[in-house]
Amino acid sequence: MIQFLLNQALRTETALDPNTTVLEFLREQAGKRGTKEGCASGDCGACTVVVAEREGAPGQERLRYRTLNSCLTFVSALHGKQLITVEDLKHQGQLHSVQQAMVDCHGSQCGFCTPGFVMSLFALQKNSQRADRAQAHEALAGNLCRCTGYRPILAAAKQSCSQHVPDQFDAAEAQTLARLQAIAPQTTAELNDGHKRCLVPLTVEALASLYEANPDARLLAGGTDLALEVTQFHRELPLTIAVGHVAEMKQVERRDDGLELGAAAPLSDCYALLAEEYPDFGALLHRFASLQIRNQGTLGGNIGNASPIGDSPPLLIALGAELVLRQGIRRRTLALEDYFIDYKITAREQGEFIERIRVPLASADQQFRAYKVSKRLDDDISAVCAAFNLTIIDGMVRQARIAYGGMAAIPKRAQRCEAVLTDAEWSAEAIELACTALTEDFTPLTDFRASREYRLLVAQNLLRKCFHELTTPGLDTRVTAYV
C-alpha cells in the first residue's frame, strides 16, 4: 500500500500496477487530463507536474516543491508526498498568478505545452523569492514549445516570479505538513497488482536484505532511464525495489576527507556541494538533461546504468571517486574507474548495489576542467564528454587524470595521454604529444550523434582548449563547448 495527497485529497493505492506512470495515473485513474503526453521520454516537459515534500528539522519544516516529468515517474515515487497538477492551481474561480501571467503575456498559442510551462513556473515561484532571467531559463529549459518562440513565456516568468505572491498553497502549508506527517512511511511498503510488485524499503538494511533475497529485481532510483523500458519499449518490470525513500542514501555532506554523496540523492541535491568544490562540475550539471530530470534522476543511477555517454562518470573518474558497494551486510569500496568493465557490464556482483559515492576534496595546486559537447546546449546527450584533473607546480605537470565519455564502450581514462603529460612541462608542445597519444587511447565508434573522426578531433581539441584556458588569464570559453 502507498499513500499520497492528490492536491489535498488522500489517495490510498493497494492494487495499482506498479509499472503505472504518474502520467497514466492522472489521465486514466484520477481523471485529470490537463497533464499532457508529448514524448513519453522526458524531453518535452508537457507532462510536468509538481511534487511537494517535507523538508527541514522538526519545528522548522517547510514544503519543498520539485518539478518532475510524470511520464518517467512511477506512482511508487509519490508515497508520502503531495502531487500537484495544473488543475489544482485555479482557486475559488481565480487563475493562479502564474496562469494569469501566461494569459497577460500571451504565453500560449496552441496550448498543448502550456500546462507543463505553468507547472514549471509554479515551482520556480515557490522556490525563489525574486527569480531572475537565468533562473527562469534553467526552470524552463526542460519545456519545449513549437509556437511562441519563448519570449512571451519568459515575460510571464518575469511577471509571476519576480516577487512572491501568496496563494492557497501558502495558506494551507501548515495543514499540508501535518497531513504529510500523518502519512509518512513507517515500514517497507509494497504495491502489488497480483502480477507485478514494487517494494519500497526505508532503510539501507531493509534494502540490502530485500535485494539479497531478490537479486533479479530491478532497482528503481529516479527511474528516468528505467522507465523508458516501459514507456518506449513496452516491457514489463515484474519486480522493482524503489530506493527513493531510503534516507541514508539521499544524504549529501562534506567531510574532512571528501564529499559523501548518497547514491539515491537527486542530482539537484548534489549540485551545491559539487559546484562549490569543483565549479566545472556544477557548470556541467546545469546542462545535465533538464531540471525535471535532475530533480528525479540520481548520481547513483547515472553511474549504475553504465552508459558510455553518461555525463557524470568521466568527471568522477578524473577526480578519483570511489563507490561504496553493499551486498547484504557486506560493504566494499571500489575505484569508480574499475566499476566499468565493458558496454553495460560492471563489476557489481549479484545482489550488490551502489550505496554511496565518495569524491576527494580539491587541493590547492589542482586544476579541474570539464567539457560536454552536444548538438544542443541544454537538455541533450553528449557526443563527447571530457574531464581534466591536473596538478601543475612551477610549470610542470606533477599529476594528470584525464577521462572521456563517448569515446569507448565505457567511460575511461586516457592513460597514454596521461603518461605523456605527467612530469612534463605544461607547454603547447607537450599538449600536441598528448593529443597524438589520444589516438592510441581510443578508437571511437561512429553513430547518429557523431562520426569516429569527429569524436577523436573533438577529444583532442578539448585538451587544447583546457591548455589555453589554464595558460591565458581571463580566458574562459567553457559555456560555449557545444556544436
Side-chain angles (χ1 to χ4, degrees):
M1 177 185 77
I2 65 168
Q3 289 187 307
F4 59 93
L5 297 180
L6 182 54
N7 192 12
Q8 290 297 335
L10 177 63
R11 297 289 302 223
T12 301
E13 302 293 339
T14 57
L16 190 65
D17 180 354
N19 287 185
T20 301
T21 65
V22 173
L23 176 63
E24 291 173 315
F25 168 79
L26 287 172
R27 296 184 62 84
E28 299 174 13
Q29 305 286 332
K32 293 196 170 194
R33 298 183 175 87
T35 306
K36 302 295 195 293
E37 178 180 304
C39 64
S41 60
D43 290 321
C44 73
C47 70
T48 301
V49 296
V50 170
V51 168
E53 53 190 313
R54 296 156 53 226
E55 179 183 71
Q60 298 179 319
E61 282 189 325
R62 57 183 293 273
L63 290 175
R64 177 173 180 176
Y65 297 86
R66 296 180 192 258
T67 51
L68 301 176
N69 287 310
S70 60
C71 72
L72 295 182
T73 307
F74 292 125
V75 287
S76 58
L78 301 177
H79 191 33
K81 301 175 185 177
Q82 181 190 33
L83 174 63
I84 303 170
T85 70
V86 69
E87 291 92 342
D88 302 323
L89 299 194
K90 189 175 180 180
H91 184 60
Q92 296 180 347
Q94 298 294 317
L95 293 178
H96 192 276
S97 59
V98 296
Q99 294 173 309
Q100 189 61 54
M102 289 287 281
V103 174
D104 295 342
C105 299
H106 308 286
S108 177
Q109 289 189 30
C110 82
F112 190 87
C113 68
T114 302
F117 275 99
V118 165
M119 296 313 294
S120 289
L121 289 177
F122 170 72
L124 176 63
Q125 185 192 76
K126 285 293 174 195
N127 292 324
S128 57
Q129 292 298 317
R130 297 184 65 86
D132 58 24
R133 189 175 181 86
Q135 289 173 305
H137 272 285
E138 180 179 17
L140 299 175
N143 294 82
L144 302 182
C145 177
R146 295 180 180 274
C147 302
T148 67
Y150 301 103
R151 185 201 58 76
I153 299 175
L154 288 170
K158 181 178 180 180
Q159 175 178 313
S160 61
C161 300
S162 58
Q163 58 184 354
H164 182 72
V165 181
D167 59 17
Q168 70 269 27
F169 299 97
D170 296 320
E173 183 169 17
Q175 174 190 354
T176 303
L177 285 168
R179 299 192 70 193
L180 291 178
Q181 173 68 42
I183 64 170
Q186 301 297 322
T187 60
T188 296
E190 180 173 346
L191 198 56
N192 188 335
D193 71 344
H195 302 284
K196 296 185 281 292
R197 304 165 62 207
C198 178
L199 305 173
V200 188
L202 303 182
T203 66
V204 172
E205 289 71 24
L207 168 61
S209 178
L210 287 172
Y211 198 34
E212 191 173 34
N214 301 277
D216 293 329
R218 303 294 298 275
L219 293 183
L220 171 63
T224 55
D225 187 71
L226 183 61
L228 295 175
E229 295 193 21
V230 175
T231 64
Q232 298 288 296
F233 299 103
H234 307 290
R235 298 170 185 157
E236 290 189 345
L237 303 176
L239 177 61
T240 54
I241 301 176
V243 303
H245 286 79
V246 179
E248 303 103 304
M249 289 176 58
K250 298 179 73 174
Q251 295 174 349
V252 296
E253 58 182 332
R254 189 184 196 277
R255 297 182 176 179
D256 292 340
D257 59 347
L259 306 180
E260 194 90 1
L261 307 172
L267 289 161
S268 53
D269 287 356
C270 298
Y271 171 79
L273 277 180
L274 288 168
E276 180 181 11
E277 197 69 21
Y278 299 105
D280 266 41
F281 210 132
L284 186 134
L285 281 181
H286 269 298
R287 295 182 56 202
F288 190 114
S290 64
L291 184 58
Q292 291 96 317
I293 294 293
R294 297 195 296 274
N295 282 338
Q296 187 80 342
T298 65
L299 194 60
N302 193 236
I303 295 168
N305 68 21
S307 169
I309 51 174
D311 281 347
S312 70
L315 281 67
L316 293 169
I317 289 172
L319 291 172
E322 296 179 333
L323 302 180
V324 177
L325 299 169
R326 174 78 177 258
Q327 182 189 56
I329 62 172
R330 180 177 73 97
R331 286 186 175 95
R332 65 180 175 123
T333 301
L334 181 70
L336 179 58
E337 63 187 285
D338 296 329
Y339 178 78
F340 303 103
I341 296 175
D342 203 343
Y343 179 72
K344 292 288 186 177
I345 299 175
T346 71
R348 188 167 60 88
E349 299 174 359
Q350 190 175 49
E352 190 175 47
F353 60 91
I354 302 171
E355 184 178 356
R356 296 191 302 278
I357 301 99
R358 291 174 174 162
V359 184
L361 299 179
S363 63
D365 298 313
Q366 185 176 355
Q367 300 287 348
F368 179 72
R369 290 292 186 272
Y371 309 97
K372 172 179 176 176
V373 176
S374 56
K375 292 185 177 181
R376 295 193 309 267
L377 179 63
D378 290 314
D379 200 9
D380 200 6
I381 296 171
S382 2
V384 177
C385 186
F388 305 97
N389 183 13
L390 305 166
T391 301
I392 303 173
I393 302 174
D394 296 330
M396 299 292 292
V397 181
R398 297 305 180 190
Q399 186 178 37
R401 289 182 65 93
I402 297 171
Y404 284 88
M407 295 290 290
I410 58 174
K412 59 180 288 190
R413 288 173 66 180
Q415 294 182 331
R416 290 180 176 85
C417 177
E418 293 175 354
V420 168
L421 289 176
T422 302
D423 293 326
E425 183 182 359
W426 182 239
S427 64
E429 291 77 14
I431 290 297
E432 290 309 311
L433 290 174
C435 285
T436 300
L438 284 175
T439 64
E440 302 174 31
D441 280 314
F442 299 107
T443 306
L445 297 176
T446 294
D447 61 18
F448 67 92
R449 288 190 182 88
S451 68
R452 171 188 180 276
E453 293 78 11
Y454 177 82
R455 281 192 163 104
L456 188 55
L457 180 59
V458 165
Q460 294 171 325
N461 283 342
L462 291 179
L463 178 56
R464 295 181 179 111
K465 180 182 180 70
C466 175
F467 172 75
H468 288 299
E469 284 185 1
L470 294 180
T471 54
T472 308
L475 177 65
D476 188 347
T477 58
R478 281 169 280 175
V479 294
T480 61
Y482 66 101
V483 291

